[in-house]
Amino acid sequence: MLLILRPEPGASATLAAARERGFEALAFPLFAVRALTWEPLARGAIDALLLGSANALRHAGTALADYRGLPAYCVGDTTARAARDAGLAVAATGAGGLQNLLAMLRPGHRRLLRLAGRERVALDVPEDVTVVTREVYASEALPTPAGLRPLLDDRALVLLHSAEAAARFAALCDEAGIVRRNLRLAAIGPRVAARAGTGWRALRSADNPDDAALLALAREMCQEAGSA
């Protein structure tokens, strides 16, 4: 059984993709994402946008239209697709986190606007680059979904899409007395895996921070465990 913990609408998208690949899967969102009020920068004050999640584009609101046509540096294909849908020109699509994208900046892209969530990764910004961050969304914890805890046994494979979900899921298991060594976790990246802590039956990270890579990892882990 594949268990999906990410917020909507991502939970339903991952659920559909998993079922298309033949997985038995259920979604139990641990968070809901809501928009935050933010102060946009003047278009002329920036050269490009830096985007670590499609949620930034979903929740930036009408102000995002002011940046149509500007270059965007995106983590993963999902974020890149959302950027194109918002009228941005994708300059690069990275893997492994935003830090790697800073090494891919084109000449003239030295003033960046980072649209981000309240919880985000700190960046080591090059001296000749300026990054202004605006928090445009936040993930709010939901009550533990009914029906999740009975499924947390050695047949479950849990997908972790964010560091916040990893930390909350680990706390949920500990509080409920669920034995970590019975559970297998597949994380969308190493930072997410690290927040889950240790002691799990299996904990692995996808090669790229997107659903396709995460579901490929899930398939591999299921095959290794002899289940589908």
Side-chain angles (χ1 to χ4, degrees):
M1 172 66 72
L2 207 62
L3 303 179
I4 299 158
L5 308 181
R6 69 186 306 195
E8 293 290 6
S12 292
T14 300
L15 181 63
R19 289 177 173 172
E20 286 175 1
R21 289 163 171 79
F23 286 103
E24 182 182 2
L26 292 171
F28 296 94
L30 295 183
F31 294 89
V33 179
R34 67 176 182 87
L36 298 176
T37 301
W38 62 288
E39 182 180 354
L41 293 181
R43 181 186 175 100
I46 62 172
D47 303 315
L49 281 76
L50 186 62
L51 303 168
S53 171
N55 279 325
L57 296 157
R58 294 187 188 109
H59 298 283
T62 57
L64 187 62
D66 294 340
Y67 305 117
R68 289 181 66 87
L70 285 180
Y73 291 83
C74 306
V75 168
D77 292 335
T78 300
T79 303
R81 285 193 296 271
R84 292 188 183 96
D85 290 344
L88 301 173
V90 175
T93 302
L98 282 179
Q99 189 64 52
N100 293 343
L101 278 172
L102 291 178
M104 302 168 66
L105 297 180
R106 298 178 184 178
H109 296 169
R110 291 296 178 265
R111 301 174 302 165
L112 307 180
L113 172 60
R114 180 185 182 186
L115 301 182
R118 181 180 291 162
E119 301 292 332
R120 59 188 178 274
V121 178
L123 298 176
D124 183 11
V125 180
E127 291 185 359
D128 63 337
V129 174
T130 299
V131 176
V132 176
T133 300
R134 290 289 187 265
E135 296 178 356
V136 300
Y137 72 93
S139 295
E140 305 289 354
L142 296 173
T144 302
L148 174 59
R149 288 177 180 170
L151 297 175
L152 298 178
D153 56 29
D154 58 7
R155 295 182 298 271
L157 174 58
V158 180
L159 300 189
L160 300 175
H161 282 80
S162 71
E164 293 73 30
R168 178 146 184 254
F169 179 72
L172 182 156
C173 288
D174 293 344
E175 291 166 3
I178 294 166
V179 180
R180 289 191 178 198
R181 65 176 176 271
N182 289 339
L183 295 173
R184 295 170 294 142
L185 312 181
I188 204 163
R191 184 180 72 92
V192 175
R195 288 291 298 278
T198 60
W200 308 98
R201 179 180 175 188
L203 172 57
R204 293 176 56 185
S205 300
D207 292 334
N208 293 304
D210 56 48
D211 251 13
L214 184 59
L215 290 171
L217 172 62
R219 173 64 63 194
E220 185 177 323
M221 293 177 72
C222 285
Q223 290 171 344
E224 290 172 353
S227 61

